[in-house]
Amino acid sequence: MPTRAKDSLRETGPVHDIDFAAADFQRDPWPTYDWYRENDPVSLSRRYGAYFVFGYEHVRRVMTSPDFTAFHPFRVSRRAFGPTMLDQDGEHHTRLRSAAADPFRPRAATEFGRRVVAPLAGRMLDDLLTRGHRDFVTRLAEQLPMAVVCHVMGLPDGDAGRLRELMRPLVEYVDHGTVSLEQVVAARGELRSYLRAALSARPGADGLLNALAENGTLDEADVVNTSVLLLAAGTETTAAGITNVLSRVAAEPEVFHRLREDRSLVRAVVTETLRHEPPLHVTLRFAARDVTLGGVDIPVGTPLQVVLASANRDPAVYPSPHVWDPERTIRTPFTFGMGRHVCLGMGLAQQELEIVLHGVLDRVGELGLRGGPLAPAQGRTFRTVRDFECVYRLRSGDDAVRTT
């Protein structure tokens, strides 16, 4: 089942300073990651005023060692969402994370997937596939994650579209888009007003929003900011994950047929796709004290851009790392981070992707990619496959080939 998505490790020559905005990097960052991981794994970028960290062992150390912290008072994410568990450490981080943890614990996430996510995904797929929407993957990836988060939070289904629109400026700002801080502040103000109104309108209602308010350890700002963060964290990367998984399976018809015959392969396909084409490539940390990493002395307070994706394709850990191979014996990739800041909703996100793939397998007899090979993912911090179309035949006996 392995397939070659990239050439083997390529020597690109000296890369003087990484540039996220460069067109070549946007299209294909992997040769750049490879060069830095082999030649300059802890690299000072004068363009960004930060060290970039590449490779499995260096990334693992930064993500798990108390020598590094997520806290900084002027983080971009803090300007977007307000102070949250994303940029806190110590007691405050533990308190915020513990207050939000219950719906994401393994047993609760499994039950929620069965009771809520599977019916939601099924209804959306029934509608999109039978209507023959040309963009069914894009629509599903856009609609399902926010609908799921609304159920987790206890917010009305009908508000998902509005919440997606309000979240868009915040996510674009965190992803270094062209949106202004003024737009972010306005959208965040609307979101906070919406959440406060929801608390007032439905006190004691089921869902995480009211559970946070009733926790007893959080003030109102903590409740609202945590809710805004979860609306972002539960949607953007999951939407990219849905697109990356379904486009990959569409590009591999033989894999699709094997999945039809053996559903036990679904988890491996999802996990390998998340390793090979992760939705999130980089996360930010700071030196908590003077520290040496990879032979480089880093002063306290220095920012580090931790390239999680470079760890996912480190040949010292994953043989033939540029090959998409669901049959590989895999060590846990860094797709969801690691250590005390590992993604709180990783179990639910994995379930959501597996449920979506099962839903497509239940409904589609033939699935393929239209118009040539699969294009690489695109984006800066968040990366997703774009501009692809599928052909499919429904399992119901409908012989019409739908194109998306």
Side-chain angles (χ1 to χ4, degrees), residues 116-379:
V116 176
V117 180
L120 270 175
R123 288 193 295 272
M124 289 184 184
L125 282 167
D126 285 339
D127 178 64
L128 294 168
L129 291 169
T130 56
R131 289 174 182 264
H133 281 293
R134 296 176 62 86
D135 56 349
F136 92 90
V137 173
T138 301
R139 290 186 184 221
L140 181 69
E142 179 183 80
Q143 296 172 17
L144 181 62
M146 185 59 81
V148 170
V149 173
C150 281
H151 276 268
V152 171
M153 300 302 296
L155 301 171
D157 290 353
D159 291 350
R162 177 190 176 196
L163 290 170
R164 280 199 308 272
E165 291 304 310
L166 288 174
M167 286 303 308
R168 177 54 41 196
L170 278 65
V171 171
E172 288 186 9
Y173 188 76
V174 170
D175 199 23
H176 305 277
T178 57
V179 64
S180 69
L181 183 57
E182 183 179 13
Q183 291 172 287
V184 170
V185 170
R188 188 181 64 214
E190 276 197 64
L191 280 164
R192 288 173 169 172
S193 296
Y194 168 88
L195 292 165
R196 292 188 183 102
L199 282 168
S200 298
R202 302 178 64 204
D206 290 339
L208 184 54
L209 178 62
N210 276 285
L212 291 171
E214 296 168 2
N215 177 269
T217 68
L218 309 183
D219 60 25
E220 185 186 69
D222 288 333
V223 172
V224 172
N225 290 344
T226 298
S227 300
V228 171
L229 174 65
L230 293 173
L231 288 172
T235 53
E236 194 69 21
T237 54
T238 306
I242 289 171
T243 304
N244 294 351
V245 167
L246 291 184
S247 62
R248 168 54 62 187
V249 172
E252 309 290 344
E254 71 282 3
V255 174
F256 181 78
H257 285 291
R258 286 194 60 185
L259 287 166
R260 291 268 323 273
E261 296 168 4
D262 184 1
R263 296 294 187 90
S264 69
L265 299 173
V266 164
R267 175 157 294 184
V269 165
V270 169
T271 301
E272 172 67 353
T273 305
L274 289 171
R275 178 201 71 84
H276 185 266
E277 202 62 82
L280 178 69
H281 275 214
V282 181
T283 193
L284 182 63
R285 293 292 184 269
F286 300 86
R289 54 185 64 89
D290 292 342
V291 63
T292 300
L293 178 69
V296 177
D297 293 332
I298 301 175
V300 61
T302 302
L304 299 96
Q305 295 284 354
V306 187
V307 188
L308 304 172
S310 74
N312 280 8
R313 294 201 192 181
D314 189 333
V317 178
Y318 304 103
S320 302
H322 295 302
V323 173
W324 181 79
D325 180 10
E327 294 181 341
R328 73 170 67 244
T329 302
I330 193 167
R331 285 176 68 179
T332 302
F334 280 91
T335 301
F336 295 108
M338 187 172 279
R340 59 196 178 278
H341 282 275
V342 67
C343 175
L344 183 63
M346 62 182 293
L348 181 58
Q350 176 95 16
Q351 282 232 357
E352 199 167 332
L353 300 182
E354 292 176 16
I355 286 167
V356 164
L357 184 49
H358 277 293
V360 172
L361 292 166
D362 287 342
R363 292 163 175 80
V364 174
E366 301 286 341
L367 180 67
L369 200 64
R370 187 185 186 204
L374 182 65
Q378 300 176 48

Side-chain angles (χ1 to χ4, degrees), residues 20 48-53 59 62-63 68-79 85-89 174 176 280-287 301-308 337-338 340-341 381:
F20 278 140
Y48 296 107
Y51 280 92
F52 279 74
V53 180
V59 167
V62 175
M63 297 298 289
F68 304 92
T69 178
F71 173 76
H72 194 281
F74 303 116
R75 281 188 65 160
V76 170
S77 61
R78 198 173 257 233
R79 294 201 294 271
M85 71 180 84
L86 183 67
D87 51 46
Q88 299 284 350
D89 269 318
V174 170
H176 305 277
L280 178 69
H281 275 214
V282 181
T283 193
L284 182 63
R285 293 292 184 269
F286 300 86
T302 302
L304 299 96
Q305 295 284 354
V306 187
V307 188
L308 304 172
M338 187 172 279
R340 59 196 178 278
H341 282 275
T381 303

Side-chain angles (χ1 to χ4, degrees), residues 15-20 25 32-33 36 45 47-48 52 54:
V15 181
H16 297 294
D17 202 353
I18 194 168
D19 183 2
F20 278 140
F25 180 86
T32 300
Y33 294 166
Y36 274 102
S45 168
R47 176 179 283 110
Y48 296 107
F52 279 74
F54 302 88

